[in-house]
Amino acid sequence: ILNVEQSPQSLHVQEGDSTNFTCSFPSSNFYALHWYRWETAKSPEALFVMTLNGDEKKKGRISATLNTKEGYSYLYIKGSQPEDSATYLCASSDFNKFYFGSGTKLNVKP
Amino acid sequence: DSGVTQTPKHLITATGQRVTLRCSPRSGDLSVYWYQQSLDQGLQFLIQYYNGEERAKGNILERFSAQQFPDLHSELNLSSLELGDSALYFCASSVGDSSYNSPLHFGNGTRLTVT
């Protein structure tokens, strides 16, 4: 079992603020790192799949980086909007077993 | 809409009973994963099937079993239910059998309440 940790647990920001959160995972036996966005009353939705050290991915105002040597990934949201309010989950895998963190709950106030 | 269908949405049953949760994966996906989310806990991996075969096992109790059928739908069977089995059970599917470049597509979950 991989121990995946996310911080902070929750975050409250104002509309327009930029924010970032962290996913830490064991660097040994690393295979892939996934980010998911989970809105209330919906199911998790894939944001990024990252596999190589130094990977950077971007989707609109959201981007992510990956450091497999030290075992962390950052998720950045530029100019947060109320519709970005959700729980952001990361999952590390050692091939086909995905181990999820507890998530960072983001609340963006208008 | 992820394309993954889970039924039923809600299930209320008594301790000691047995239930079956059903999942139809997204069209074209061969892998099905089952996850459990208990109160105040993250998603816990239970089991994965790929094209009808069990591929990986997580913290799945012996009272729980699953299978994937030739049409690729999957069922999770929970027996001798206990109060602590109350949780949200998610099914997710993916194209390949590994996490490399193959994200998970989640269903809306089945909320199980054991009374």
Side-chain angles (χ1 to χ4, degrees):
Chain A
I1 295 179
L2 299 180
N3 190 26
V4 179
E5 297 183 351
Q6 291 188 248
S7 62
Q9 201 169 11
S10 65
L11 202 49
H12 297 263
V13 301
Q14 289 293 136
E15 182 176 353
D17 287 350
S18 292
T19 186
N20 66 85
F21 15 96
T22 306
C23 173
S24 301
F25 54 88
S27 54
S28 58
N29 295 323
F30 172 82
Y31 198 74
L33 191 284
H34 291 213
W35 280 101
Y36 292 84
R37 175 185 145 86
W38 193 358
E39 290 181 74
T40 303
K42 295 188 178 179
S43 53
E45 181 184 332
L47 285 173
F48 304 116
V49 176
M50 308 174 80
T51 55
L52 300 175
N53 186 43
D55 252 356
E56 291 188 25
K57 300 263 178 156
K58 188 175 180 181
K59 185 184 281 190
R61 294 178 291 99
I62 304 177
S63 61
T65 61
L66 178 66
N67 183 322
T68 60
K69 292 182 179 179
E70 295 182 36
Y72 65 83
S73 175
Y74 293 137
L75 189 80
Y76 301 91
I77 302 179
K78 186 178 177 182
S80 302
Q81 299 296 309
E83 56 264 31
D84 295 329
S85 297
T87 296
Y88 291 83
L89 296 172
C90 70
S92 180
S93 87
D94 58 4
F95 183 70
N96 55 5
K97 292 184 186 178
F98 292 78
Y99 298 95
F100 281 84
S102 298
T104 292
K105 188 170 184 178
L106 175 66
N107 181 32
V108 183
K109 296 180 182 177
Chain B
D1 182 11
S2 68
V4 178
T5 304
Q6 283 188 252
T7 56
K9 286 186 180 178
H10 302 278
L11 203 48
I12 301 174
T13 189
T15 54
Q17 296 298 305
R18 181 180 190 275
V19 297
T20 297
L21 281 51
R22 183 187 167 103
C23 170
S24 293
R26 197 179 65 140
S27 178
D29 285 358
L30 298 178
S31 269
V32 169
Y33 297 78
W34 285 98
Y35 282 87
Q36 177 193 57
Q37 189 196 23
S38 303
L39 197 62
D40 294 334
Q41 294 214 356
L43 290 167
Q44 301 294 317
F45 170 65
L46 294 178
I47 198 164
Q48 180 215 3
Y49 281 84
Y50 175 76
N51 205 20
E53 292 186 5
E54 181 184 306
R55 279 300 175 97
K57 231 172 184 176
N59 293 327
I60 187 166
L61 299 172
E62 284 190 14
R63 299 184 286 108
F64 296 1
S65 65
Q67 52 183 327
Q68 186 180 27
F69 295 87
D71 67 352
L72 301 178
H73 91 270
S74 178
E75 292 180 356
L76 179 67
N77 301 297
L78 316 175
S79 61
S80 303
L81 285 167
E82 302 175 359
L83 295 177
D85 297 326
S86 296
L88 190 53
Y89 291 84
F90 280 104
C91 164
S93 70
S94 68
V95 171
D97 66 342
S98 82
S99 59
Y100 204 86
N101 287 329
S102 192
L104 297 178
H105 303 275
F106 284 84
N108 288 328
T110 292
R111 181 164 295 283
L112 173 66
T113 302
V114 182
T115 61

